[in-house]
């Protein structure tokens, strides 16, 4: 059996989602998979991904979630890898590595992988991908007193008080399973997107997917944890690169490291928004 690779087309979406539902994760209905291929922010040059095809039948997929982000005043294109699956009869034939090489070939595009299986870590390194982060930081509620900090969760007020850049990010994620919070002081503010999930030992994690103001987040992260977290066993968690300097917190190893490939963007500028994480409502490893 021989399969060839080609760019995924809009007409392929139904067949791809059926493949992913029936073979990759049957717990995700086809409607949930379809969210990957119709994000509201990706109307321009909509790159859906790559499919492997054998005599008209789709036997593999390497899904892409694409976006444009403004980094240091420059408009950068991002490609988040998702839903990488090949039917068993077509594995060990080089299709998988060919998909990744094809997807990451454009030097003008920053590629990211946020939900890779730990078993594939060494394999991805051989394909020219670099580790983005291997550690996250955790902050707990300690009872520390703080002042000059307000957390706003009302969507109307968030949109009213954000600048135009944050309003766009907020609007792009408005209907997705993220928790928006605007941390405000008298002088500055930081928009956060959080996901909430029960993890190790029943601990509730408030994972940071996005922070608009790295400096403020770093300086006030413990105060944000004090204001945000309920009294039960909870942590505010963020990948280490989200802080600009030592911000305290407990260090936790990420079992499945994040990966990236970019000739244009630094790790500190790569967050978890505009990716399969919010689109599928995935729990971060």
């Amino acid at each position: 059996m021989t399969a060839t690779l080609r760019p995924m087309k809009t007409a392929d979406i139904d067949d791809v989602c059926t493949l992913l539902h029936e073979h990759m994760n049957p717990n995700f209905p086809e409607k949930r998979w379809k969210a990957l291929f119709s994000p509201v922010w990706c109307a321009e040059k909509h790159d859906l991904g790559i499919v492997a095809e054998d005599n008209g039948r789709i036997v593999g997929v390497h899904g892409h979630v694409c976006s444009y982000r403004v980094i240091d005043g420059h408009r950068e294109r991002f490609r988040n890898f998702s839903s990488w699956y090949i039917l068993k009869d077509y594995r060990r034939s080089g299709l998988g590595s060919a998909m990744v090489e094809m997807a990451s070939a454009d030097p003008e595009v920053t590629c990211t992988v946020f939900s890779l299986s730990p078993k594939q870590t060494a394999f991805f390194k051989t394909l020219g991908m670099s580790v983005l982060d291997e550690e996250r930081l955790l902050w707990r509620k300690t009872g520390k007193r703080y002042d000059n900090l307000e957390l706003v969760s009302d969507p109307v007020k968030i949109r009213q008080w954000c600048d135009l850049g944050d309003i766009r990010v907020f609007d792009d994620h408005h209907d997705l399973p993220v928790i928006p919070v605007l941390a405000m002081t008298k002088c500055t503010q930081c928009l956060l997107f959080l996901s909430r999930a029960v993890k190790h030992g029943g601990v509730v994690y408030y994972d940071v997917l996005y922070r608009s103001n790295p400096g403020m987040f770093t300086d006030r992260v413990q105060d944000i944890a004090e204001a945000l977290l309920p009294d039960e066993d909870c942590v505010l968690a963020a990948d280490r690169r989200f802080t600009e300097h030592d911000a305290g917190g407990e260090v936790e190893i990420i079992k499945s490291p994040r990966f990236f490939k970019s000739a244009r963007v630094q790790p500190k500028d790569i967050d978890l928004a505009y990716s399969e994480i919010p689109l599928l409502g995935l729990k971060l490893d």
Side-chain angles (χ1 to χ4, degrees):
M1 292 178 288
T2 303
T4 57
L5 302 181
R6 63 168 175 80
M8 182 176 167
K9 303 174 183 177
T10 302
D12 298 322
I13 291 177
D14 286 346
D15 288 342
V16 164
C17 291
T18 298
L19 174 75
L20 295 173
H21 168 66
E22 293 181 350
H23 298 278
M24 185 174 184
N25 189 341
N27 292 322
F28 286 14
E30 292 180 35
K31 181 179 180 181
R32 186 172 179 181
W33 283 117
K34 285 182 180 180
L36 282 175
F37 305 111
S38 56
V40 298
W41 60 75
C42 201
E44 183 181 350
K45 294 183 180 178
H46 196 179
D47 172 14
L48 297 170
I50 300 163
V51 294
E53 189 176 54
D54 184 5
N55 290 320
R57 178 192 177 208
I58 293 177
V59 297
V61 61
H62 189 276
H64 300 164
V65 178
C66 294
S67 62
Y68 285 95
R69 312 288 299 276
V70 177
I71 309 294
D72 294 331
H74 300 284
R75 192 168 183 256
E76 302 288 352
R77 184 166 174 81
F78 284 73
R79 178 177 293 148
N80 172 240
F81 296 173
S82 73
S83 55
W84 185 33
Y85 187 83
I86 300 171
L87 291 176
K88 291 182 180 180
D89 289 344
Y90 293 85
R91 296 176 190 174
R92 302 186 184 279
S93 63
L95 274 179
S97 57
M99 282 178 160
V100 176
E101 289 168 357
M102 183 175 172
S104 59
D106 189 343
E108 297 298 308
V109 177
T110 293
C111 299
T112 61
V113 186
F114 297 148
S115 60
L116 185 68
S117 166
K119 297 179 181 179
Q120 296 170 332
T121 298
F123 173 64
F124 258 65
K125 289 180 179 178
T126 67
L127 297 175
M129 304 290 288
S130 301
V131 173
L132 179 62
D133 240 329
E134 295 180 293
E135 296 179 340
R136 65 164 63 91
L137 301 175
L138 310 179
W139 296 270
R140 301 178 188 271
K141 191 168 188 173
T142 66
K144 172 182 176 288
R145 293 189 177 184
Y146 62 89
D147 58 13
N148 187 26
L149 179 71
E150 179 184 2
L151 298 188
V152 178
S153 57
D154 182 342
V156 175
K157 292 182 179 179
I158 289 176
R159 204 173 185 284
Q160 176 183 348
W161 290 333
C162 279
D163 61 27
L164 291 177
D166 279 350
I167 288 175
R168 177 180 177 181
V169 178
F170 176 81
D171 287 347
D172 284 343
H173 291 76
H174 181 62
D175 293 325
L176 299 180
V178 299
I179 303 169
V181 174
L182 185 64
M184 301 181 64
T185 70
K186 294 177 181 178
C187 300
T188 188
Q189 62 190 38
C190 176
L191 178 63
L192 302 171
F193 287 159
L194 309 169
S195 66
R196 182 183 182 278
V198 179
K199 298 187 186 180
H200 323 294
V203 178
V204 179
Y205 278 61
Y206 288 80
D207 285 299
V208 178
L209 305 182
Y210 171 84
R211 84 292 183 239
S212 65
N213 186 335
M216 179 189 171
F217 177 75
T218 304
D219 293 340
R220 300 301 302 269
V221 63
Q222 182 61 53
D223 293 340
I224 292 172
E226 301 289 348
L228 172 75
L229 298 177
D231 291 332
E232 59 260 28
D233 196 3
C234 300
V235 295
L236 177 64
D239 289 3
R240 182 181 281 278
R241 71 185 183 282
F242 280 21
T243 57
E244 291 190 330
H245 52 76
D246 184 9
E250 307 166 30
V251 177
E252 181 177 83
I253 301 299
I254 301 173
K255 293 182 179 179
S256 181
R258 330 263 189 241
F259 278 81
F260 82 112
K261 182 178 181 180
S262 180
R264 303 177 57 88
V265 176
Q266 298 299 311
K268 66 181 179 65
D269 295 316
I270 300 175
D271 53 52
L272 301 165
Y274 293 94
S275 74
E276 66 171 357
I277 304 300
L279 284 172
L280 289 178
L282 297 180
K283 180 190 293 188
L284 278 179
D285 187 19

